[in-house]
Amino acid sequence: MNTVLAAEAGSTTARNLTITLFLVFVAITLAITVWASRQTKTATDFYAGGRSFSGFQNGMAIGGDYMSAASFLGIAGIIALYGYDGFLYSIGFLVAWLVALLLVAELLRNSGRYTMADVLAFRMRQRPVRTAAAVSTITVSIFYLLAQMVGAGALVALLLGIKPGTTFLGMDADTAKVATIIMVGALMIIYVTVGGMKGTTYVQIVKAFLLMGGALVMTLLVLAKYKFNLSSLLGDAASASGKGAAFLEPGLRYGVETPGDALKTFYSKMDLLSLGIALVLGTAGLPHILIRFYTVPTARAARKSVLWAIGIIGTFYLLTLALGFGAAAIVGGQAITEQDKAGNTAAPQLAEALGVDFLGGNLGGATLLAIIAAVAFATILAVVAGLTLASSSSLAHDFYANVMKNGQASERQEVNVARISALVIGAVSIVLSIYAQNLNVAFLVALAFAVAASGNLPAILYSLFWKRFNTSGAVWAIYGGLLAAVVLVFFSPVVSGAPTAMFPDHDWQWFPLSNPGIISIPFGFLCGWLGTILSKESDEEKYAELEVRSLTGAGAH
């Protein structure tokens, strides 16, 4: 059946349906964005949607922002290829929300205004802290953007039936992926520059409904195919994966036991620990998630929105189990890797196979593939818009308005700079994404989590909970954690020295782990502590004021 599917993937029907659905979705979201632009009159509207969203609306938008291409394409793919080990991503991404809810959400909403740096700079010298926060926000956002763009490239290559050796409109597979990445980049720049936070939020809410609906339909179809017998589904997944019983046990990708090589076994186990730490601590430091807490009117709504987000996201990650094991059982590991080495197209390939089985023949497969692919594309567009908004807001509000202009910039100037920033950040992301196409998107997001947890999280937690913390500590924590994470990633097998690296033909790798979290996160906390105790600066009155604000919301904007 797999060879038949591969042959049908490039059918004209699938292409026409897909292109039509894409155009319909893009038209709807652009209409929402234009409508939102008419409601966006002040800086508060642009950055925080006028603080007018309810807890449920914001919860849906957080879900839309968080359930990215990494969740839908990456996790389904990594489960389809590595079984049990792939599910670690689902667990890590979900548990991370408890850290965000318990430690950060309400306190941040009460203390800040538009960006993470508002909280950090409240009791410290503005310029150095805001500059560091802007650098960190942009770095994390670009790591995260890479994942979304790579997912978009892989998705469109599948939709248009482009494999190595085939062409579409004169483009080979690689050129088509590059063209897609450029198109996604252009669309996200339009969403942010025109619609601001209001437009971006509504796009995310629409996308969350679509993604939950699509994942639920596919899960029900997978279970129906196996008459709701999970045992036979898992059995088929194990045999079709080519890995046998090992597919359902830990140790296929992480914590791999290498007989006769104790060091390699140790590194593999450390990589698993590093990944877990990064996933669980990363969410509370992600700038595009943190700014969502400012879009609600009260602290109660902030708590409510996180509870809604946990419910939506938790349900979705349970569904990824069925999608991943379903793809392994029905599509097969070989067919998945033939289309995309990193497994990023497992979910859409599963949709096509289910369409053939349940809707009948070529047209059925093409229809379900087109619908699910349009949902995945919607996912990518919504998330990249949120990321670009977070990084352009930080550049304009933190760096331009408060560092360059010393707080003297008008709202109009600030919003204009945010729009120009979105253009520049979009362009940088497009260029970098072209080199990252061999990497699994869930894995790329795990790197963004590690960078966020290393730089942002120590500064946020120290700022909220440590009376002695000062400017020097904040700057050391952000730059120290950020630099450690980025340097370790650069010298890891992710960038060079491995067949799936960004630069597979080069080798400057010396750091053995794929995820730097286990080293860079403690290093960020250490830098924050060291910077603080080596500086005499202390403002306990300001800390007391911040504590009252963070706990009560008194005096918050």
Side-chain angles (χ1 to χ4, degrees), residues 398-440:
D398 297 328
F399 189 70
Y400 173 76
N402 286 292
V403 175
M404 288 174 66
K405 291 288 188 179
N406 220 6
Q408 302 302 307
S410 69
E411 283 198 348
R412 190 179 185 80
Q413 285 175 315
E414 207 176 307
V415 172
N416 285 340
V417 170
R419 289 179 165 141
I420 295 163
S421 305
L423 191 66
V424 175
I425 289 157
V428 171
S429 307
I430 289 168
V431 173
L432 288 174
S433 303
I434 292 166
Y435 290 100
Q437 292 180 61
N438 290 332
L439 300 172
N440 178 281

Side-chain angles (χ1 to χ4, degrees), residues 157-367:
L158 169 72
L159 292 173
L160 301 178
I162 303 170
K163 283 185 165 187
T166 61
T167 60
F168 175 70
L169 296 179
M171 295 184 289
D172 60 19
D174 291 338
T175 313
K177 284 183 180 181
V178 171
T180 305
I181 286 169
I182 293 168
M183 180 179 69
V184 171
L187 277 169
M188 80 178 178
I189 291 164
I190 292 168
Y191 288 151
V192 174
T193 52
V194 175
M197 178 57 95
K198 273 193 179 169
T200 301
T201 300
Y202 283 119
V203 169
Q204 284 162 347
I205 291 170
V206 168
K207 168 249 149 147
F209 275 113
L210 287 174
L211 188 59
M212 287 297 287
L216 191 59
V217 167
M218 282 174 68
T219 298
L220 290 173
L221 292 178
V222 168
L223 294 175
K225 186 175 173 67
Y226 283 92
K227 298 185 171 58
F228 291 83
N229 184 336
L230 291 177
S231 180
S232 61
L233 167 62
L234 295 176
D236 273 15
S239 56
S241 70
K243 314 253 177 31
F247 188 72
L248 302 177
E249 295 169 5
L252 204 55
R253 180 179 170 111
Y254 297 105
V256 179
E257 296 277 352
T258 309
D261 193 339
L263 191 63
K264 201 170 179 186
T265 301
F266 173 74
Y267 285 150
S268 188
K269 290 183 186 301
M270 283 298 102
D271 220 356
L272 170 61
L273 194 57
S274 193
L275 172 70
I277 293 169
L279 292 180
V280 169
L281 296 178
T283 299
L286 288 175
H288 70 295
I289 297 295
L290 296 177
I291 64 166
R292 292 235 54 92
F293 298 133
Y294 297 129
T295 63
V296 288
T298 63
R300 186 161 180 250
R303 280 198 307 276
K304 204 171 175 183
S305 60
V306 177
L307 289 172
W308 273 110
I310 289 175
I312 293 161
I313 292 162
T315 307
F316 177 77
Y317 283 136
L318 279 176
L319 302 180
T320 59
L321 260 182
L323 300 181
F325 284 114
I330 297 166
V331 181
Q334 190 182 341
I336 293 168
T337 48
E338 276 175 16
Q339 176 64 46
D340 186 272
K341 283 180 203 163
N344 294 325
T345 56
Q349 283 176 281
L350 173 64
E352 186 180 26
L354 291 170
V356 170
D357 283 350
F358 285 93
L359 303 177
N362 190 4
L363 184 62
T367 305

